[in-house]
Amino acid sequence: MREPLLDGHGRAIGDVRVSVTDRCNFRCQYCMPAEGLPWLDRAEVLTFEEIERIVALLATMGVGDVRLTGGEPLVRRDFPRLAAMLAQIDGVEDLSVTTNGFLLERDAAALVAAGVNRFNVSIDSLQRDRFFEMTRRDALPRVLAGLETLAQFPEAHPIKVNAVALRGFTEQEAIPFAEFARQHPYEVRFIEFMPLDADHAWSRDQVLSGEEIRAAIHAVHPLEPEPREPSATARVYRFADGNGRIGFINPVSEPFCGDCNRIRITADGHLRTCLFSHNETDLRGPLRGGASDDELASVIRDAVWRKELKHHVNDPGFIQPTRSMSAIGG
Ligand code: SAM
Ligand code: SF4
């Protein structure tokens, strides 16, 4: 074991989000343009062995929570094999996947067998035409079938369903999602729209706050707050009659930077210390240049020491980062 990985503000890093590909089979309005993005060349993307080495090194520094994301992680060839490699690393305590669900019918069994113990499935609408409008893919029935396939595995529970909340769209989704959470063993969580869209079309008036959705749901199905876990991104509520839970991730209206314990690795092997960072640190260069574990650890420590205190989305002069959500690994 090595010393814990600390930033310059006294936060211990315990969670890494690894983007395994920048590619995606969806084109969500708030994330990617309709025509897609210029994809990385295959040679630029970290190999499974390179990802394994970084994750194993981070695990020796106390980073035990590993979330695999993208782009769409399930479009990466042989993805369950990567999950199995990472699940076996000493010090990896929690291995999770964030997916749009399109390929879950195919891969749920293999991912659970590989050792993935938590899943987030992104669904923005429970109505087929509105789902199509938001993702530009007519895929709701297939995603729901994938979710049901996953739900058959007790090891995969609790399953989280994430919906990005946009003003003018998500108001109509609040009650149907609340009822979905009450009827199924899924915890639905609304995420405020962040300025990380590739079209750079984000504006503050498009953000539908978690509090507005919570109040609308509470008026129909009363909610009671659950205690907040340290470093948790979501504020979670249970339905007062005991049927299910619902959560709100409010990075814009109620930033939770103070106890952020996360870092990110992009598909091309760059370390990002904040979703909104303007600087990132190349790990692929040293990895491929023959750096030792000690050398790599020291590059990581230096970068993490400079982790941003907070994001500046609410400050005048905020500048959106060049990379968008799918290229960062949300
Ligand atoms: N493709 C997978 C998926 O959609 O779940 C994983 C990658 S996606 C970038 C990760 C999460 O980021 C998804 O839940 C997605 O809805 C969310 N997301 C993407 N763009 C966003 C934005 N501009 N603001 C807030 N959340 C966003
Ligand atoms: Fe793809 Fe996920 Fe971005 Fe939608 S949010 S375009 S599914 S990466």
Side-chain angles (χ1 to χ4, degrees):
M1 285 301 276
R2 294 168 186 268
E3 292 286 300
L5 187 56
L6 295 177
D7 78 1
H9 308 287
R11 296 171 295 193
I13 306 303
D15 180 309
V16 62
R17 314 273 158 119
V18 181
S19 172
V20 303
T21 178
D22 59 326
R23 295 175 193 232
C24 189
N25 43 5
F26 282 19
R27 296 288 181 271
C28 304
Q29 302 271 1
Y30 49 74
C31 181
M32 264 202 208
E35 64 281 10
L37 288 166
W39 309 128
L40 293 167
D41 287 337
R42 210 162 290 273
E44 294 178 274
V45 175
L46 293 186
T47 64
F48 285 3
E49 289 68 27
E50 288 168 338
I51 294 174
E52 181 184 37
R53 181 152 172 229
I54 294 176
V55 170
L57 185 58
L58 288 170
T60 65
M61 296 191 268
V63 185
D65 289 350
V66 179
R67 171 168 297 281
L68 303 176
T69 179
E72 172 49 36
L74 276 61
V75 305
R76 174 101 189 233
R77 188 190 301 262
D78 237 1
F79 176 60
R81 186 167 70 82
L82 171 66
M85 286 165 68
L86 302 182
Q88 280 155 25
I89 293 173
D90 257 359
V92 170
E93 287 150 13
D94 193 282
L95 182 65
S96 57
V97 169
T98 301
T99 172
N100 62 30
F102 189 74
L103 294 170
L104 266 182
E105 272 184 290
R106 184 191 75 184
D107 286 348
L111 289 170
V112 170
V116 176
N117 56 347
R118 287 194 299 134
F119 290 83
N120 286 2
V121 182
S122 304
I123 304 180
D124 300 315
S125 172
L126 293 168
Q127 273 184 54
R128 187 170 178 166
D129 55 336
R130 304 185 91 242
F131 181 99
F132 185 12
E133 180 190 338
M134 190 57 90
T135 61
R136 305 189 178 101
R137 296 289 183 270
D138 183 15
L140 181 63
R142 183 158 165 175
V143 168
L144 291 178
L147 193 58
E148 277 171 31
T149 307
L150 183 62
Q152 287 164 15
F153 296 94
E155 310 92 304
H157 289 266
I159 297 170
K160 297 198 172 118
V161 170
N162 291 342
V164 175
L166 288 123
R167 188 173 298 285
F169 184 91
T170 309
E171 293 89 337
Q172 282 186 51
E173 302 293 337
I175 302 300
F177 268 123
E179 279 157 11
F180 190 68
R182 289 167 58 74
Q183 288 155 9
H184 298 92
Y186 311 133
E187 181 179 313
V188 174
R189 307 182 321 168
F190 293 95
I191 308 176
E192 288 177 350
F193 178 31
M194 291 181 273
L196 292 169
D197 55 316
D199 290 329
H200 287 232
W202 181 91
S203 68
R204 191 164 301 279
D205 54 12
Q206 289 170 284
V207 180
L208 178 65
S209 74
E211 177 50 27
E212 286 173 81
I213 305 176
R214 191 205 60 80
I217 294 175
H218 181 70
V220 181
H221 299 292
L223 294 169
E224 290 171 351
E226 292 268 29
R228 189 167 175 208
E229 286 164 30
S231 305
T233 51
R235 290 176 177 271
V236 179
Y237 293 78
R238 61 179 174 275
F239 290 100
D241 62 5
N243 289 326
R245 297 177 358 138
I246 197 145
F248 303 90
I249 302 177
N250 303 340
V252 180
S253 68
E254 298 177 68
F256 37 80
C257 307
D259 52 13
C260 176
N261 69 344
R262 286 171 286 284
I263 55 173
R264 294 179 153 79
I265 310 290
T266 62
D268 56 353
H270 286 70
L271 169 66
R272 292 180 65 89
T273 48
C274 175
L275 272 175
F276 299 97
S277 294
H278 289 291
N279 299 309
E280 41 187 48
T281 302
D282 179 25
L283 301 181
R284 189 187 63 195
L287 257 180
R288 294 188 181 171
S292 67
D293 276 0
D294 285 349
E295 284 163 344
L296 263 181
S298 127
V299 172
I300 293 171
R301 263 187 213 290
D302 284 355
V304 166
W305 188 254
R306 295 189 304 272
K307 179 172 161 67
E308 295 77 350
L309 178 60
K310 64 189 200 69
H311 72 58
H312 294 281
V313 173
N314 297 313
D315 299 348
F318 166 75
I319 299 168
Q320 182 168 341
T322 324
R323 281 196 203 245
S324 52
M325 195 61 133
S326 64
I328 295 171

